[in-house]
């Protein structure tokens, strides 16, 4: 399945059917993330109910600490 994440298209296995499964990937796991799916902000409570589809456009914004 092709997903556009932060403007870059990549192929993902069908194991990533929900937003929760996608965010379990090591590069996103444990981070405080704001998720936008096809132009709509998704609340954390909805991640498990949001099914991903081929061609979805996802914006993942995470906060970086520092000073």
């Amino acid at each position: 399945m092709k997903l556009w994440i932060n403007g870059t298209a990549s192929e993902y296995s069908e194991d990533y059917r929900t937003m929760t499964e996608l965010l379990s990937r090591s590069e996103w796991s444990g981070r405080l993330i704001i998720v936008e799916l096809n132009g709509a902000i998704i609340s954390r409570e909805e991640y498990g109910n949001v099914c991903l589809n081929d061609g979805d456009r996802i914006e993942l914004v995470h906060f970086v600490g520092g000073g």
Side-chain angles (χ1 to χ4, degrees), residues 1 3 11-25 50-52:
M1 154 173 68
L3 298 174
E11 289 290 330
Y12 290 86
S13 85
E14 296 295 328
D15 293 339
Y16 300 107
R17 294 173 294 192
T18 68
M19 191 60 71
T20 296
E21 292 165 344
L22 180 67
L23 295 178
S24 71
R25 293 175 54 99
V50 174
C51 295
L52 300 175

Side-chain angles (χ1 to χ4, degrees), residues 4-65:
W4 291 81
I5 299 180
N6 295 342
T8 302
S10 297
E11 289 290 330
Y12 290 86
S13 85
E14 296 295 328
D15 293 339
Y16 300 107
R17 294 173 294 192
T18 68
M19 191 60 71
T20 296
E21 292 165 344
L22 180 67
L23 295 178
S24 71
R25 293 175 54 99
S26 61
E27 65 264 40
W28 300 109
S29 180
R31 294 184 181 198
L32 177 58
I33 298 174
I34 303 298
V35 176
E36 181 183 291
L37 174 64
N38 300 323
I41 301 292
I42 306 297
S43 72
R44 179 179 298 252
E45 294 78 24
E46 296 177 278
Y47 290 174
N49 298 324
V50 174
C51 295
L52 300 175
N53 297 295
D54 189 52
D56 277 346
R57 294 182 178 270
I58 301 165
E59 295 292 327
L60 301 176
V61 178
H62 66 96
F63 298 96
V64 177

